[in-house]
Amino acid sequence: MNVQFWHDMGVIAEDEGMMKRVAKYVRKVAKEMTEDPTLMTKEEYFAKIERAEQQSARGEGLVKLPGEDLTTFLRRNGYDI
């Protein structure tokens, strides 16, 4: 695949318009690879904390029992581990 890729790039390199299209596509792919779906803004973070505190106040949170390991806690709460 590597040899074929570079051969194709050699063909494309002779056409400036095609090179611009390829460069634009490569930038798009590179951006997708570096985006982190877990990132959030400061406001989103604090809103999430606020929702968690409200759920806890309503008794909707899950509590790990004293001495309980994580695997047991998850199984007790319905997770198939």
Side-chain angles (χ1 to χ4, degrees), residues 15-29:
D15 183 326
E16 187 175 339
M18 289 301 291
M19 279 298 292
K20 287 180 181 179
R21 288 179 57 192
V22 169
K24 182 178 176 181
Y25 179 73
V26 169
R27 279 192 300 274
K28 178 183 171 191
V29 170

Side-chain angles (χ1 to χ4, degrees), residues 43-74:
E43 292 77 20
E44 291 171 326
Y45 173 77
F46 286 112
K48 191 171 195 166
I49 297 291
E50 179 72 25
R51 285 192 306 274
E53 289 173 342
Q54 291 170 357
Q55 287 176 325
S56 181
R58 293 190 303 263
E60 297 174 0
L62 301 175
V63 177
K64 189 170 165 269
L65 301 175
E68 183 176 38
D69 64 43
L70 183 58
T71 301
T72 306
F73 168 77
L74 291 171

